[in-house]
Amino acid sequence: MRVEEGFQPVPFVEGNPYTTDPVLPSLLKRILPPHVFHDVSQDMERFGGEVLTTMRNMCKLATPPQLIQYDSWGRRVDELRTSEGWRGLKDIYVREGLVAIPYERKYQEHSRPYGFAKLFIAAADSEVTDCPMSMTDGVARVIELIGSPALKEDIFRRLTSRDPVEAYTAGQWMTERPGGSDVSRTETRATQVQDATSSPYGTPYKMDGFKWFSSATDSDVALALARTGRPEDGSRGLSLFLIPVRLPLVRPSSSPRPSAVTNNIFIHRLKNKFGTKIVPTAELSIQGADGYLLGQPNQGVKLITPVLNITRTHSAVGSVAYLRKCLAIATEHSKNRAIKGGRQLLKDTPLHVAELARLHVLYRALVHFVFGVVVLLGKTECGVATENESLRLRLLTPAIKAFAAEKCATAMEDCMACLGGEGYMEENGISKLIPDGLVEKIWEGTVNVLSLDLVRATEKSPALSAFITWARDILNSCPDSLAQSLGGPIASLRIALDALTDAYKAPMHPLLPRPALLLFAHIASSLNLLEHAIWAVNTGEPDSATDVEVFRRWVLESGLDVTLENVRRAKNAPGERVQADTNIVYGTMNTKTAARL
């Protein structure tokens, strides 16, 4: 039999990623004023079409980067060659304003949700282009806050430009070999240039060090932490610098792009990664590069915080965006795939639809959770956030990043399984999204790292009290008729809130931070779902019954009870458990052969 003969599988057809999404249009309708929603929705529908056509075609031209370290005469050139597809995707992001929109502030604090909504429908079809764009966004915010007038005129303007010819991208160089996420062991040193001509960009320094991960190696500028204090000062001896990746820093847009060696930055090698293979990630040897001090000396960790808030939010949006596409594929496939001798579609099979429904509940919870934080970010940046909202943002930012990455990784695998063997094929896209999406479990902090950050936030501010106050306000705002039908899940949330307060009381058990973060995220996402359900019921939205059911299932069936039990177990764990963990992993002193990975 020839391949053209016999049964022919029917391919799934994806619709516009905005208009067919089960969550985003309704969410934007709730969080945006009517006139803003009208404008944004029109642009989202248009851009959704661009994602399906222009961006997907550009992705076909994206190939891994190449590094040419020496020319034919043996001279060090470090020429980084990126593909037409990679450059084209970055140009699309620039033209569409994915970095510019939040800083143009056409819609004031609502510009942040607008910009992230565009990213949300594009991220899964962009070969991780948001990696450099997220850092460009973060660097732009730092310069907006503490940059000199010259930096704002020459660099900020280019970072937020919609013109691909003029626009700059930025990197974030933090990770070094000794410490990974622990920047206190940073080896890169910055030495002030004595008797140097003053620069309008900041006090000039010379930088010397080795950066272990640079994920925007083709950028124009980078933020970097470098040591200006003593090594024993740890993170208190770090300052923040803007480093030109290539010189001159400002050049005519028509001039050839110089190599990084012009500023004594050498690409040691490109990283061989599990995923994100189109992104040019490298190890950098910095040997006397020019850099400009931002802010006060030895305040680098504090000054870098706005970057982390933004890049962690980008990471969370990216995680859920990858799940969006995987779930859309799995859902569309169920409409065409027949079983039982071709007599029944998967969409008419209760067991299969139940699995898809479970994934859709998770997806809805994550979208509302992440965009709830995006709203707070927009308010904070525009100076209209209340004190309670600013405090909640500090807690919620690491939580959305950790929770989204943790939940989406497994959910994408489940979407793949919903397609059977077809799901394992490269052509459908899921197998590409999974390794690319897994980086979010590591980049900008693992769950454990972020859980410790959450502990620090609760110790140093009244942020947890602010969250508890907001949570109770949401619960109390539920109309009586709705509260009666949701008595079970609302009671569960009140119990969980009490457990959360108890979990973060000092001193905290060393095994408690991770399960406490997951409990916090479960509660917060539940409240975002409830907030939306209340709005849908009060405004008579046609899908309000579904919104209520999603909230009910998320609280009662999606792991809150398990997470609550994990918190109680960790809080009450005897001291011997820590030693028992060590014995399980490494063996005891009396064991001749310790357990090995």
Side-chain angles (χ1 to χ4, degrees):
M1 179 184 292
R2 297 179 57 182
V3 68
E4 295 86 0
E5 299 172 341
F7 176 78
Q8 299 296 308
V10 180
F12 58 83
V13 178
E14 291 179 72
N16 184 298
Y18 174 65
T19 59
T20 63
D21 189 81
V23 187
L24 194 58
S26 176
L27 184 150
L28 292 178
K29 184 179 180 181
R30 174 172 63 86
I31 65 176
L32 300 177
H35 73 283
V36 177
F37 173 69
H38 176 270
D39 293 350
V40 169
S41 191
Q42 283 190 333
D43 189 45
M44 292 290 292
E45 184 172 353
R46 175 202 61 80
F47 184 49
E50 289 293 307
V51 171
L52 291 177
T53 54
T54 306
M55 288 190 65
R56 288 196 176 179
N57 289 332
M58 193 62 69
C59 286
K60 297 174 183 178
L61 303 177
T63 56
Q66 294 179 308
L67 173 62
I68 310 299
Q69 288 184 303
Y70 298 92
D71 68 8
S72 59
W73 301 103
R75 295 175 298 185
R76 186 73 180 261
V77 292
D78 284 5
E79 179 187 350
L80 181 62
R81 295 179 181 175
T82 57
S83 65
E84 177 186 352
W86 172 254
R87 298 191 301 274
L89 289 165
K90 291 204 300 181
D91 287 351
I92 292 172
Y93 267 47
V94 169
R95 285 195 299 270
E96 291 289 342
L98 269 74
V99 173
I101 287 172
Y103 299 98
E104 294 168 346
R105 299 201 173 103
K106 178 180 179 180
Y107 303 114
Q108 300 305 317
E109 70 268 25
H110 307 298
S111 298
R112 262 297 171 196
Y114 174 26
F116 272 121
K118 293 189 76 169
L119 169 64
F120 184 71
I121 64 172
D125 287 290
S126 65
E127 297 290 351
V128 203
T129 304
D130 190 50
C131 175
M133 294 304 171
S134 68
M135 291 181 279
T136 302
D137 188 354
V139 174
R141 179 59 177 161
V142 167
I143 293 177
E144 183 181 45
L145 289 172
I146 63 172
S148 67
L151 278 179
K152 293 177 181 178
E153 170 61 27
D154 291 340
I155 308 304
F156 176 80
R157 177 172 59 84
R158 287 173 168 83
L159 293 175
T160 58
S161 172
R162 285 182 183 246
D163 181 0
V165 176
E166 178 189 58
Y168 278 11
T169 57
Q172 172 188 325
W173 299 348
M174 307 297 161
T175 308
E176 300 196 4
R177 290 173 292 188
S181 298
D182 180 8
V183 297
S184 66
R185 300 180 65 191
T186 294
E187 294 180 314
T188 299
R189 293 204 59 84
T191 304
Q192 186 173 347
V193 178
Q194 301 298 323
D195 302 323
T197 303
S198 61
S199 169
Y201 301 133
T203 304
Y205 278 70
K206 289 293 183 180
M207 322 294 294
D208 190 89
F210 197 91
K211 294 297 181 179
W212 192 231
F213 279 95
S214 160
S215 290
T217 309
D218 57 340
S219 63
D220 300 278
V221 295
L223 280 188
L225 290 175
R227 188 164 301 285
T228 48
R230 304 171 302 171
E232 54 267 30
D233 293 333
S235 59
R236 294 184 181 87
L238 300 178
S239 299
L240 185 63
F241 295 89
L242 182 78
I243 302 179
V245 178
R246 52 201 89 244
L247 294 176
L249 173 57
V250 178
R251 55 191 180 275
S253 57
S254 59
S255 65
R257 200 159 185 255
S259 164
V261 300
T262 55
N263 194 24
N264 296 313
I265 299 170
F266 301 91
I267 304 176
H268 179 62
R269 63 168 178 163
L270 293 177
K271 291 289 195 179
N272 184 17
K273 298 165 293 179
F274 173 66
T276 69
K277 292 185 179 294
I278 308 301
V279 181
T281 306
E283 298 170 12
L284 300 180
S285 176
I286 304 171
Q287 303 176 26
D290 291 348
Y292 302 102
L293 178 69
L294 293 175
Q296 295 299 312
N298 303 324
Q299 297 293 312
V301 173
K302 177 182 178 180
L303 295 174
I304 202 69
T305 299
V307 178
L308 298 180
N309 285 340
I310 288 172
T311 53
R312 285 173 175 175
T313 305
H314 274 266
S315 175
V317 171
S319 290
V320 187
Y322 283 14
L323 176 57
R324 180 206 64 77
K325 183 176 180 180
C326 293
L327 189 54
I329 291 172
T331 303
E332 289 302 313
H333 176 75
S334 71
K335 300 175 183 178
N336 296 326
R337 182 62 173 171
I339 61 173
K340 294 185 178 180
R343 298 186 305 273
Q344 181 175 311
L345 294 172
L346 285 176
K347 76 179 186 66
D348 299 319
T349 306
L351 191 62
H352 188 82
V353 176
E355 176 67 1
L356 286 174
R358 180 184 65 83
L359 292 168
H360 272 267
V361 168
L362 168 64
Y363 173 67
R364 286 169 179 259
L366 292 175
V367 174
H368 283 285
F369 186 24
V370 170
F371 273 88
V373 178
V374 170
V375 168
L376 298 180
L377 179 62
K379 288 184 173 182
T380 301
E381 289 179 338
C382 290
V384 297
T386 65
E387 182 181 4
N388 180 289
E389 289 171 331
S390 298
L391 288 170
R392 280 159 43 208
L393 178 65
R394 173 64 184 92
L395 289 184
L396 288 163
T397 302
I400 59 166
K401 192 277 175 191
F403 198 63
E406 182 78 3
K407 293 296 183 180
C408 288
T410 302
M412 287 192 291
E413 296 173 355
D414 292 340
C415 290
M416 173 185 280
C418 286
L419 274 72
E422 185 62 32
Y424 200 61
M425 298 300 102
E426 289 278 355
E427 291 89 346
N428 67 53
I430 294 180
S431 61
K432 177 73 166 57
L433 292 172
I434 289 175
D436 284 352
L438 284 178
V439 74
E440 307 296 358
K441 296 189 72 170
I442 301 169
W443 186 58
E444 295 296 11
T446 63
V447 174
N448 283 356
V449 168
L450 294 168
S451 71
L452 295 173
D453 185 41
L454 197 59
V455 172
R456 287 191 292 271
T458 61
E459 291 175 341
K460 296 181 178 180
S461 76
L464 185 60
S465 296
F467 175 80
I468 298 296
T469 298
W470 170 79
R472 289 176 175 154
D473 287 344
I474 296 295
L475 292 173
N476 293 334
S477 71
C478 191
D480 291 340
S481 58
L482 188 58
Q484 289 177 4
S485 65
L486 294 175
I490 288 178
S492 294
L493 282 178
R494 293 190 187 279
I495 293 171
L497 280 170
D498 291 339
L500 182 71
T501 303
D502 190 50
Y504 280 99
K505 288 181 179 177
M508 198 173 193
H509 194 288
L511 298 179
L512 191 51
R514 183 187 180 102
L517 178 146
L518 297 177
L519 176 62
F520 174 71
H522 264 287
I523 294 171
S525 54
S526 299
L527 292 165
N528 289 128
L529 285 177
L530 178 59
E531 190 175 32
H532 187 77
I534 293 171
W535 167 82
V537 169
N538 288 340
T539 57
E541 292 296 308
D543 292 330
S544 60
T546 299
D547 293 323
V548 171
E549 177 64 9
V550 166
F551 165 72
R552 188 192 68 79
R553 290 193 186 190
W554 178 246
V555 175
L556 298 181
E557 302 176 10
S558 300
L560 177 61
D561 55 344
V562 175
T563 304
L564 190 57
E565 180 57 34
N566 288 340
V567 166
R568 290 167 176 161
R569 183 184 300 112
K571 185 174 179 59
N572 297 316
E576 295 81 9
R577 187 175 180 94
V578 173
Q579 183 59 53
D581 288 343
T582 300
N583 294 344
I584 290 170
V585 176
Y586 304 106
T588 63
M589 295 296 293
N590 296 326
T591 302
K592 293 182 179 179
T593 305
R596 295 178 182 177
L597 293 178

